[in-house]
């Protein structure tokens, strides 16, 4: 492992050890045998930590119902990160033109039209519309793991366009969801520490777009709606957020009409682990070869 | 379980037993706790069957390098199935217009431009460009499992827009890859039979687009390039293809410049299991409640 911190150095180490398999697109790469093995073991450790809670498992494809996405207000806040899916719906004559354009290396966007799906921007988005109307007395707890998309091409290895989020979502009263979020905040940090990761946590904000967005950042920080778990991966001074603990207030309850049994809107919270980032934090902290990781770390993952 | 075969009846059974979680888009749905559990167990059974071969594990995101996709000639053959990814790259002024359109329920495609990625159309596509130039003496064997996208919205539950393919890819000489494909053809059928599935196999063709495409179908059938494993899921007369065994000749070797050590183009073959379809075949054959499946089937999956 390279000592010190460098984005390019860490990327090169990952490639050299065949932990990742590069493509020509920044932020899009394959995961190698060892990387995937560690990722599944970390994911299983999260499952064990969460097991006492008895969450309902749901898994969603990387494509999301466009109507749900439009309703979610994601495009108000993060238009630059969203990905929408287009397809060819033309005739055979159109197809001849499309083929010619592709083979000649010319743009072919004009033969693509918007479909009914977009790329899932955050793992929890498909969960809310799956509960409609009045929620149950004790609320809901859901366990998800989805591929999400963020259009932010970058050579920085932790800034991926496609990656997996393991999330848990709590739906209920304000008291219940905030207490649950705070419980996971501590549980998450404890879990990272148990793997020898020098994790800290801090209040944080989402990357809202534009000038209006900068005002929303202030609001989010002030109300402590988001905390992030941070580990140095490509910089010591600016550690990488590898997980987050989020309180949405009644944002999703309002958008998707989730009501409490005793009246009023349901509130929601979610905790999210960026699985690839967690794995990269392990490789940065303990080295590129898991067989030489500290015994205490190995025994937590290789049960 | 409903006796007999019906697309809508099977879909309703899946929903009623919370095996799938519907959205408003045909062919896009969540997978419930029990469905996911069976899927992972089936996937693990495939891993055990393939273990003696020692394939290199690679996992790719659901997004594929657009340059690789353009080179693959997929748009020549299946333009109607492909999905391309678009994003917003405009100014704050553009964003105001985008927001207004979305909130007013008007089309917003005009504020989306084509990105450098498309949705992965087949799990093996990212594998070929990861090997460049002359391949090794014994060739290559790769183990993949990716989400793939097919734009073919349908209420028929086995016809999904987003689903997972578990694939193995063999790269080498014609003799090696054909023998390997044929070995898997038998191994795959044996594996399905060991789970009590009434699987048959037949020569098959891909859904090529248009009039020209219909000629390609004839060619593919005649040369026996593709075999499918078939199980009745929504129709007894037209069983569903749940896996396929494919010989590509030098198609990908030519496109991606894969050369044999002794000269000439490398040839390739792949075997692909549609994981959701395999799981649906199990639910259709044995019923909606895995705890009442035959003991011989359970012991194969719940090791």
């Amino acid at each position: 492992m390279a000592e010190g911190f460098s984005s390019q150095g860490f990327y090169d180490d990952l490639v050299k050890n065949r932990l990742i398999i590069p493509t020509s697109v920044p932020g899009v790469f394959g995961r190698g045998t060892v990387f995937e093995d560690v990722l599944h073991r970390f994911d299983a450790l999260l499952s064990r930590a969460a097991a006492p809670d008895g969450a309902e498992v749901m898994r969603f494809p990387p494509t999301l119902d466009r109507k749900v996405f439009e309703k979610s207000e994601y495009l108000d806040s993060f238009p630059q990160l969203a990905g929408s899916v287009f397809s060819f719906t033309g005739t055979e004559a159109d197809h001849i033109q499309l083929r010619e354009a592709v083979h000649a290396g010319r743009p072919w966007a004009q033969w693509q039209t918007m479909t009914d799906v977009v790329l899932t921007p955050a793992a929890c988005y498909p969960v809310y519309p799956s509960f409609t109307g009045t929620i149950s007395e004790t609320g809901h707890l859901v366990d998800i793991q989805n591929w999400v998309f963020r259009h932010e091409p970058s050579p920085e290895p932790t800034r991926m366009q496609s990656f997996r989020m393991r999330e848990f979502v709590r739906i209920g009263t304000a008291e219940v969801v905030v207490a649950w979020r705070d419980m996971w905040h501590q549980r998450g940090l404890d879990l990272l520490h148990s793997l020898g990761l020098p994790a800290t946590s801090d209040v944080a904000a989402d990357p809202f777009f534009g000038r209006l967005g900068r005002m929303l950042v202030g609001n989010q920080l002030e109300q402590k709606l988001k905390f992030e778990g941070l580990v140095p991966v490509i910089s010591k001074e600016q550690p990488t957020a590898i997980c987050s603990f989020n309180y949405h207030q009644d944002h999703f309850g309002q958008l998707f009409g989730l009501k409490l049994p005793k009246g009023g809107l349901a509130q929601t919270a979610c905790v999210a682990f960026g699985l690839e980032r967690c794995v990269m934090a392990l490789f940065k902290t303990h080295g590129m070869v898991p067989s030489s990781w500290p015994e205490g770390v190995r025994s937590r993952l290789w049960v």
Side-chain angles (χ1 to χ4, degrees), chain A residues 5-41:
Chain A
F5 292 90
S6 137
S7 171
Q8 188 64 48
F10 184 59
Y11 180 84
D12 292 345
D13 279 347
L14 291 171
V15 173
K16 202 170 61 195
N17 289 278
R18 211 164 171 75
L19 295 168
I20 66 172
I21 302 151
T23 75
S24 81
V25 180
V28 176
F29 44 75
R31 284 72 165 149
T33 306
V34 175
F35 191 98
E36 269 307 290
D37 184 39
V38 173
L39 187 142
H40 284 283
R41 290 174 187 283

Side-chain angles (χ1 to χ4, degrees), chain A residues 19 100 128-129 135 163 166 171 188 190 247 256 278:
Chain A
L19 295 168
E100 282 174 1
Y128 308 111
I135 66 166
F163 55 95
R166 177 74 184 272
I171 304 175
D190 289 348
Y247 172 36
F256 296 104
C278 290

Side-chain angles (χ1 to χ4, degrees), chain A residues 16-252:
Chain A
K16 202 170 61 195
N17 289 278
R18 211 164 171 75
L19 295 168
I20 66 172
I21 302 151
T23 75
S24 81
V25 180
V28 176
F29 44 75
R31 284 72 165 149
T33 306
V34 175
F35 191 98
E36 269 307 290
D37 184 39
V38 173
L39 187 142
H40 284 283
R41 290 174 187 283
F42 180 81
D43 197 36
L45 181 60
L46 285 174
S47 296
R48 292 197 296 279
D53 308 345
E56 177 181 1
V57 172
M58 294 185 186
R59 294 292 181 263
F60 291 92
T63 48
L64 174 70
D65 183 343
R66 177 159 59 82
K67 288 198 198 74
V68 167
F69 178 70
E70 289 167 349
K71 201 185 247 192
S72 77
E73 299 183 348
Y74 190 88
L75 283 169
D76 290 359
S77 300
F78 317 107
Q80 79 283 19
L81 299 179
S84 53
V85 178
F86 283 56
S87 272
F88 173 77
T89 53
T91 63
E92 291 199 42
D94 297 326
H95 183 222
I96 291 168
Q97 296 191 308
L98 167 66
R99 284 180 73 143
E100 282 174 1
V102 172
H103 284 278
R106 293 200 310 271
W108 48 280
Q110 68 183 99
W111 293 282
Q112 300 282 290
T113 53
M114 190 176 263
T115 70
D116 286 339
V117 294
V118 300
L119 292 178
T120 307
C124 59
Y125 275 49
V127 170
Y128 308 111
S130 78
F131 297 102
T132 46
T134 302
I135 66 166
S136 76
E137 191 69 39
T138 53
H140 297 281
L141 176 62
V142 180
D143 170 339
I144 41 184
Q145 197 237 74
N146 298 341
W147 283 92
V148 300
F149 179 79
R150 307 273 166 90
H151 187 247
E152 43 178 355
S154 163
E156 204 268 80
T158 70
R159 192 158 297 282
M160 290 157 274
Q161 295 202 64
S162 258
F163 55 95
R164 279 160 288 186
M165 298 288 279
R166 177 74 184 272
E167 286 200 20
F168 300 94
V169 180
R170 189 75 173 99
I171 304 175
T173 63
E175 294 68 32
V176 163
V177 307
V178 170
W180 175 86
R181 193 270 308 252
D182 293 344
M183 176 278 288
W184 254 112
H185 187 177
Q186 189 59 50
R187 181 195 266 173
L189 287 172
D190 289 348
L191 185 144
L192 299 177
H193 292 154
S194 78
L195 292 171
L197 295 174
T200 55
S201 99
D202 202 358
V203 66
D206 289 308
F208 293 99
F209 181 77
R211 274 167 303 176
L212 190 66
R214 283 193 282 282
M215 288 164 52
L216 294 171
V217 165
N219 183 52
Q220 201 181 18
L221 291 172
E222 198 184 344
Q223 295 194 64
K224 301 193 173 181
L225 300 180
K226 185 185 197 74
F227 289 91
E228 287 177 340
L230 303 156
V231 174
V233 179
I234 55 135
S235 157
K236 191 156 189 168
E237 293 72 30
Q238 297 185 298
T240 299
I242 65 172
C243 55
S244 66
F245 310 94
N246 308 283
Y247 172 36
H248 314 127
Q249 298 171 317
D250 64 7
H251 179 69
F252 291 109

